[in-house]
């Protein structure tokens, strides 16, 4: 993306996120799946390069993670005003604070794997929110427009974001901004072909919707009584998965368009309240809470790998009293980054999918 073009043009106009043709044996397997796997290796104390994790001033909030540059870099947020970049390709890791915002809170970090441009929301003292684009390569930034929750389309040509009156889409080529739906929007997700958006929630309910940007059709995918959150499409765009309440548990469901009959992918007595699609395969990293009900602050949480087509599960983390969550795949699926809550502090960790080793990338000093 050429941010300079955006700058030129812009100055002119200044709730908790299956294959429906599967054979009966697959559905049966899914309905009886259990959490069992060989214990994975414990987290190594040193990082990928044999040195201690980088010390950052504070990880007081849940850090946000974004992979950039074909899996070579991880952008993560420490406090509400600092953004860091970890380079996985270098023999000596370099993590740099490329921007320190003074008295400005930073939220909603997003970006594209094949770009050095990231987007985020700046919240100012007067509660006004603005979307900012940053070029990591040059550390330059441009304020794009008023709004929040920015999410670039997979093709990089559009930017979805939210204002008080609804959902907007900006054309990155010329900065043209259009109101595409009036509703209350959370958990935005682009279809891989950049023609549709999924989201959840409105003023009256928590349901997943699909908005077709071409036709303007906006439909709710289910009419049941379940609450639904955090939709996300598989990499091939064939399936839309989401988290939903089911028999006092949280499970991951999916539909395959155009038939919107939902299928429970994780039918169990446990709670699976987060997931991330593998970028190349019909697999997903899921966060499983081993005991208890809905609160994410209770019981053991670990990450598993679910094969959506076979129903098989592989445990990726097993760290007593350490809770892993918010998984994020690298663009090629060879790394999985996530957040670890250990002793009341947040850590950034990375899992090597080939060796099954995971390492701390960043830890707080306080």
């Amino acid at each position: 993306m050429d941010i300079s073009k955006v700058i030129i043009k812009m100055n002119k106009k200044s709730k908790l996120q299956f294959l429906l043709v599967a054979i009966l044996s697959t559905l049966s397997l899914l309905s009886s799946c259990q959490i069992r796997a060989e214990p994975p290796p414990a987290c190594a104390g040193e990082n990928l390069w044999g040195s201690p994790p980088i010390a950052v001033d504070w990880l007081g909030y849940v850090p946000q993670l974004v992979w950039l540059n074909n899996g070579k870099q991880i952008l993560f947020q420490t406090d509400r005003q600092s953004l860091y970049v970890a380079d996985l390709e270098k023999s000596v890791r370099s993590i740099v604070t490329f921007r320190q915002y003074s008295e400005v809170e930073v939220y909603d970090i997003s970006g594209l794997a094949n770009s050095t441009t990231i987007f985020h929301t700046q919240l100012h003292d007067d509660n006004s929110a603005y979307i900012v684009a940053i070029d990591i390569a040059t550390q330059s930034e441009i304020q794009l427009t008023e709004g929040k929750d920015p999410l670039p389309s997979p093709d990089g040509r559009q930017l979805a974001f939210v204002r008080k009156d609804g959902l907007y889409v900006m054309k990155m080529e010329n900065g043209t901004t259009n109101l595409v739906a009036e509703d209350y929007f959370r958990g935005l997700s682009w279809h891989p072909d950049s023609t549709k958006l999924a989201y959840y929630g409105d003023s009256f309910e928590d349901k997943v919707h699909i908005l077709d940007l071409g036709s303007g059709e906006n439909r709710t995918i289910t009419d049941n009584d379940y609450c639904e959150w955090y939709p996300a499409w598989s990499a091939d765009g064939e399936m839309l998965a989401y988290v939903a309440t089911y028999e006092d548990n949280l499970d991951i469901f999916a539909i395959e368009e155009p038939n919107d009959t939902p299928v429970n992918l994780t039918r169990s007595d446990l709670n699976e309240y987060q997931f991330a699609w593998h970028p190349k395969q019909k697999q997903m990293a899921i966060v499983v809470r081993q005991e208890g009900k809905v609160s994410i602050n209770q019981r053991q949480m670990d990450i598993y790998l679910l094969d959506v087509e076979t129903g098989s599960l592989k445990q990726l983390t097993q760290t007593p009293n350490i809770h892993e969550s918010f998984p994020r795949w690298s663009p090629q699926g060879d790394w999985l980054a996530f957040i670890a809550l250990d002793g009341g502090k947040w850590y950034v960790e990375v899992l090597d999918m080939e060796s099954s080793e995971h390492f701390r990338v960043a830890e707080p000093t306080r």
Side-chain angles (χ1 to χ4, degrees):
M1 181 191 306
D2 189 344
I3 290 297
S4 62
K5 292 183 179 179
V6 178
I7 297 173
I8 293 172
K9 298 293 182 181
M10 288 305 299
N11 286 338
K12 291 180 178 181
K13 294 189 175 183
S14 287
K15 200 182 284 171
L16 268 142
Q17 278 274 249
F18 190 98
L19 286 173
L20 299 177
V21 295
I23 59 176
L24 291 177
S25 59
T26 301
L27 293 177
S28 175
L29 178 59
L30 282 174
S31 65
S32 62
C33 69
Q34 299 293 324
I35 304 296
R36 52 177 180 266
E38 291 298 319
C43 177
E46 295 185 339
N47 64 27
L48 299 174
W49 302 268
S51 60
I54 190 70
V56 296
D57 182 51
W58 188 36
L59 290 171
Y61 299 92
V62 179
Q64 299 185 53
L65 303 174
V66 175
W67 284 94
L68 299 169
N69 293 344
N70 291 311
K72 299 176 182 179
Q73 293 177 305
I74 308 173
L75 174 89
F76 64 94
Q77 176 188 31
T78 56
D79 54 32
R80 289 297 195 199
Q81 298 178 354
S82 298
L83 302 175
Y84 287 74
V85 176
D87 193 326
L88 294 181
E89 212 177 38
K90 295 184 178 180
S91 58
V92 178
R93 179 188 40 203
S94 62
I95 297 185
V96 179
T97 302
F98 64 86
R99 182 66 177 172
Q100 187 80 27
Y101 296 96
S102 176
E103 298 180 356
V104 176
E105 294 192 350
V106 179
Y107 297 84
D108 312 324
I109 311 301
S110 64
L112 289 172
N114 297 323
S115 171
T116 63
T117 302
I118 64 166
F119 303 88
H120 67 81
T121 302
Q122 284 185 358
L123 182 63
H124 293 257
D125 290 339
D126 60 359
N127 288 324
S128 60
Y130 294 89
I131 296 171
V132 173
I134 300 177
D135 189 317
I136 295 176
T138 64
Q139 301 186 24
S140 61
E141 67 175 68
I142 174 65
Q143 182 173 292
L144 297 179
T145 186
E146 185 175 2
K148 64 178 183 176
D149 301 328
L151 187 66
S153 61
D155 63 7
R157 298 178 179 178
Q158 304 173 89
L159 183 72
F161 62 94
V162 177
R163 290 178 180 164
K164 291 181 180 180
D165 57 342
L167 174 64
Y168 285 77
V169 172
M170 172 189 290
K171 293 184 179 180
M172 299 307 297
E173 181 181 23
N174 56 24
T176 302
T177 299
N178 295 304
L179 176 65
V180 296
E182 297 181 11
D183 209 335
Y184 177 73
F185 297 88
R186 297 187 66 184
L188 295 177
S189 176
W190 282 98
H191 189 279
D193 67 6
S194 301
T195 64
K196 292 180 286 189
L197 280 161
Y199 68 95
Y200 76 89
D202 59 25
S203 301
F204 306 101
E205 60 183 7
D206 290 319
K207 305 296 292 184
V208 170
H209 300 246
I210 296 177
L211 171 64
D212 189 309
L213 296 176
S215 67
E217 179 189 15
N218 191 343
R219 60 189 178 90
T220 305
I221 66 172
T222 68
D223 58 1
N224 55 45
D225 295 329
Y226 305 150
C227 291
E228 304 164 350
W229 304 283
Y230 303 110
W233 267 286
S234 58
D236 58 12
E238 294 181 355
M239 301 175 64
L240 179 67
Y242 56 93
V243 178
T245 57
Y246 179 74
E247 297 180 351
D248 296 325
N249 287 323
L250 293 174
D251 287 319
I252 299 170
F253 286 75
I255 64 166
E256 184 181 22
E257 294 187 278
N259 188 340
D260 286 351
T261 303
V263 175
N264 191 336
L265 302 184
T266 57
R267 193 180 306 243
S268 71
D269 294 331
L270 303 175
N271 281 289
E272 301 85 15
Y273 74 97
Q274 293 175 352
F275 70 93
W277 282 105
H278 191 284
K280 302 293 183 180
Q281 305 173 32
K282 283 288 180 65
Q283 297 178 335
M284 58 173 63
I286 64 174
V287 177
V288 177
R289 189 169 57 257
Q290 301 290 5
E291 300 177 21
K293 296 301 180 181
V294 173
S295 173
I296 66 171
N297 297 316
Q298 299 177 0
R299 306 298 187 256
Q300 179 70 35
M301 292 186 293
D302 288 298
I303 299 176
Y304 289 73
L305 182 66
L306 171 66
D307 188 309
V308 174
E309 296 183 312
T310 67
S312 65
L313 281 165
K314 177 183 178 182
Q315 188 169 0
L316 299 180
T317 68
Q318 189 177 54
T319 49
N321 301 317
I322 301 176
H323 310 290
E324 293 89 6
S325 57
F326 300 97
R328 298 290 184 268
W329 291 101
S330 65
Q332 300 303 316
D334 49 349
W335 299 96
L336 182 68
F338 53 90
I339 303 301
L341 179 60
D342 184 2
K345 296 182 179 181
W346 300 101
Y347 298 81
V348 179
E349 301 192 357
V350 173
L351 171 65
D352 183 334
M353 295 302 297
E354 181 177 0
S355 68
S356 297
E357 293 181 296
H358 58 101
F359 307 85
R360 285 190 171 166
V361 172
E363 64 181 10
T365 59
R366 58 185 173 100

